Amino acid sequence: MFIATKKISIQNETLILTNQRAAFREKDKALILSDLHIGKTAHFRKNGIALANHIMKSDLERLSALIEFFQPEKFIVVGDLLHAGDNSDVDEFCVWKKQYPDLQFYLIEGNHDRISKALEEKLCFDYKAEWLETDDITFIHDFDPARSGFQITGHIHPGIVLSSAVKNIRLPCFALSSNQLLLPAFSEFTGLDTKNLPKKSTFFVFTDAEIYEI
């Protein structure tokens, strides 16, 4: 797996975007991602739709590669860590997480994160709340227009359509505006929203090999 990077400046600090659907904040050595939707494949299997479990394994392999690459001290999930509560995929995630006992685990709760007290104890969060304010940045799952300042968000699963004479290609992206960085969905098992994107944004579209600014 190849990790391409792109440095951007927000709120007078450096953030590194990657083609692996995550960002790295140098200031506090935090790996930042959104919308893992752990348990989605198990949820589909439970409801009679046969899906291979290699989909989540691939997501976790990419996350491990990013941890090895950046050596973060914490990782921040900006909502929708889970998809449908507790299931066998969550068990697999917990086994994976035990490889990194010193890595602090922050969850900004998303609309899919229906977490019981027992499940919260199982996941062993260092921080769990509806938002996190740090310096001049607020981490929140869905953009809140009532809030002032800069927000790092997820939720939308942003994508861009690139057109050619042969066909249209849909690719995931980051969207950067004056008051928001919208993260792509980390899980590859998600759709792309190409319509409800923040206005007046710069888009960072990525492939397996590169990141393009458009």
Side-chain angles (χ1 to χ4, degrees):
M1 186 190 80
F2 178 73
I3 299 176
T5 61
K6 174 79 173 180
K7 288 189 176 184
I8 62 171
S9 179
I10 60 170
Q11 303 300 100
N12 299 312
E13 64 173 271
T14 298
L15 208 70
I16 303 174
L17 309 182
T18 78
N19 66 330
Q20 299 301 330
R21 301 173 178 246
F24 183 71
R25 189 184 187 196
E26 292 186 325
K27 188 173 185 177
D28 57 356
K29 297 183 179 179
L31 187 64
I32 305 164
L33 49 142
S34 183
D35 296 276
L36 276 79
H37 288 278
I38 291 166
K40 189 173 183 178
T41 53
H43 175 72
F44 274 66
R45 289 194 297 271
K46 183 179 178 180
N47 287 277
I49 301 173
L51 289 174
N53 63 1
H54 70 79
I55 295 171
M56 194 189 78
K57 288 181 179 179
S58 175
D59 288 341
L60 294 181
E61 286 171 0
R62 286 190 299 111
L63 188 48
S64 288
L66 287 164
I67 290 170
E68 182 177 350
F69 185 84
F70 286 111
Q71 296 293 303
E73 294 180 356
K74 61 185 173 186
F75 78 102
I76 301 172
V77 179
V78 191
D80 286 358
L81 169 71
L82 306 181
H83 184 78
D86 199 358
N87 59 30
S88 59
D89 282 355
V90 177
D91 293 335
E92 186 174 341
F93 173 78
C94 289
V95 170
W96 169 88
K97 182 175 171 289
K98 288 179 181 178
Q99 301 174 81
Y100 309 101
D102 298 325
L103 186 61
Q104 296 180 34
F105 184 16
Y106 285 50
L107 174 64
I108 311 306
E109 295 169 275
N111 53 295
H112 279 273
D113 291 318
R114 299 182 291 275
I115 299 176
S116 66
K117 189 66 177 178
L119 182 53
E120 182 176 345
E121 292 176 358
K122 180 177 178 178
L123 289 164
C124 299
F125 300 115
D126 293 284
Y127 178 94
K128 182 177 77 72
E130 292 183 6
W131 63 80
L132 169 66
E133 294 182 356
T134 169
D135 301 318
D136 296 324
I137 295 174
T138 297
F139 296 86
I140 189 167
H141 183 55
D142 193 11
F143 183 79
D144 183 354
R147 285 181 172 272
S148 60
F150 194 90
Q151 299 178 41
I152 294 180
T153 70
H155 184 56
I156 291 178
H157 307 180
I160 289 287
V161 178
L162 301 180
S163 300
S164 71
V166 179
K167 63 178 179 178
N168 293 334
I169 302 173
R170 292 159 55 90
L171 294 172
C173 68
F174 297 84
L176 176 64
S177 63
S178 61
N179 61 351
Q180 179 186 13
L181 175 65
L182 172 60
L183 303 171
F186 186 80
S187 176
E188 295 180 340
F189 186 40
T190 57
L192 295 177
D193 188 338
T194 60
K195 300 184 182 299
N196 298 303
L197 302 176
K199 297 178 179 179
K200 298 181 180 179
S201 291
T202 299
F203 299 103
F204 297 92
V205 182
F206 50 88
T207 66
D208 290 341
E210 296 184 67
I211 301 174
Y212 304 91
E213 180 178 341
I214 61 175

